[in-house]
Amino acid sequence: MKRNPLLKRGCLVLGSIGFAALLYRQLFREAVLHWGATDTEADGRLPGDELLEDPDGIATRAITIDAPASAVWPWIAQMGPAPRGGAYTYDWIENLLGLDMHSTDRVLPEFQHPQIGDTLGYGTNRMRYERVEPGHVLAMRSEDGNWVWSFVLDERDGATRLISRNRFRLPSLTAKIGMLAMEPGSLVMERKMLHGIKHRAERMQPMDHETAGPGSGRVQRLFIRRQPGRLGIRGMHRASA
């Protein structure tokens, strides 16, 4: 009896998909999930991890930015869909998914002070800020509790390690299979995002930064000077209590 050609073709397709998935897991997945991160960063515990214990998956990606954390934080603080600052990645791809992202080259003063409890939408995901430490940590969690996205800034000798960590729970087989397909795509988008933040932050330079103790009534100012290039940067100032 001859085998059905369609059945044979289907078996070949499924076999090829299974082989590709196995090859990906064995040879490429570690590099995809931990692009740019050191072993210590990838394997260590970071602020925000406590928001989702025992995840099904973790992606830790990082980049070194030749600028202090004070030049990196503004771009993290204002991230999000319009009217916020976007995600500094491929807007056209984001917007095919209906995310309404428009990456800006300007610091937006109105979005520089995220607060715990603030929310923003990433498509069907509604994210809530759960941990905010200006200049150091910004962590958000999805409404269903299955996704935590944290940014950690570690400044050393005038440069900053920017670490982006995604922790996720995959409650169904469909979600687990779908994530394998999404992981390479997420690297493409997140790598572009990290380079986008680096590009912007390295063109910012603190000119004057006064700090004062609580209750002193002094004014705290951060002035940002435009560096050579195309970025339009607006100065910020804030009166302390």
Side-chain angles (χ1 to χ4, degrees):
M1 180 185 295
K2 293 184 179 180
R3 297 183 65 183
N4 187 319
L6 288 177
L7 178 61
K8 182 178 180 180
R9 194 174 301 126
C11 290
L12 286 173
V13 170
L14 290 175
S16 298
I17 292 173
F19 177 74
L22 179 63
L23 192 68
Y24 167 68
R25 288 184 67 91
Q26 295 296 320
L27 299 181
F28 303 111
R29 191 169 188 246
E30 190 74 14
V32 166
L33 292 180
H34 298 149
W35 179 87
T38 65
D39 289 342
T40 299
E41 291 165 344
D43 298 335
R45 192 166 176 85
L46 292 175
D49 287 358
E50 73 282 356
L51 299 173
L52 177 55
E53 300 288 359
D54 301 319
D56 293 316
I58 302 174
T60 306
R61 293 155 181 157
I63 198 167
T64 297
I65 299 175
D66 295 323
S70 61
V72 180
W73 176 259
W75 306 103
I76 303 296
Q78 69 185 28
M79 283 181 65
R84 303 181 67 88
Y88 320 118
T89 183
Y90 300 102
D91 287 354
W92 68 272
I93 296 178
E94 301 270 17
N95 293 329
L96 282 176
L97 301 174
L99 298 184
D100 197 18
M101 292 289 185
H102 304 280
S103 298
T104 183
D105 288 335
R106 296 183 294 112
V107 169
L108 307 175
E110 62 270 33
F111 297 116
Q112 289 306 303
H113 306 290
Q115 304 292 319
I116 292 175
D118 290 351
T119 63
L120 63 158
Y122 281 91
T124 58
N125 284 303
R126 194 76 191 170
M127 306 295 288
R128 182 183 188 273
Y129 291 130
E130 299 285 358
R131 183 165 178 173
V132 181
E133 299 173 23
H136 180 47
V137 179
L138 184 64
M140 63 190 86
R141 178 166 53 190
S142 63
E143 280 186 335
D144 62 11
N146 289 332
W147 176 27
V148 169
W149 191 7
S150 303
F151 292 94
V152 179
L153 287 67
D154 182 14
E155 182 179 337
R156 298 180 185 179
D157 301 322
T160 302
R161 282 292 283 173
L162 173 59
I163 306 170
S164 170
R165 171 165 284 178
N166 286 272
R167 295 166 69 86
F168 43 88
R169 186 183 293 120
L170 303 171
S172 67
L173 178 60
T174 301
K176 289 178 170 64
I177 294 172
M179 182 55 69
L180 282 177
M182 287 177 61
E183 285 171 357
S186 73
L187 171 60
V188 171
M189 300 299 285
E190 196 160 11
R191 182 180 182 276
K192 174 68 171 176
M193 177 198 73
L194 291 171
H195 277 289
I197 295 170
K198 175 182 172 72
H199 175 78
R200 290 163 171 80
E202 288 180 353
R203 282 157 176 75
M204 294 177 63
Q205 180 176 336
M207 293 180 61
D208 181 276
H209 190 194
E210 297 181 9
T211 58
S216 67
R218 290 178 60 190
V219 174
Q220 182 178 6
R221 296 184 177 87
L222 174 63
F223 295 92
I224 306 301
R225 181 172 63 198
R226 180 174 178 172
Q227 296 288 81
R230 297 183 299 171
L231 300 188
I233 307 298
R234 285 192 268 178
M236 296 181 290
H237 66 87
R238 174 168 64 88
S240 60

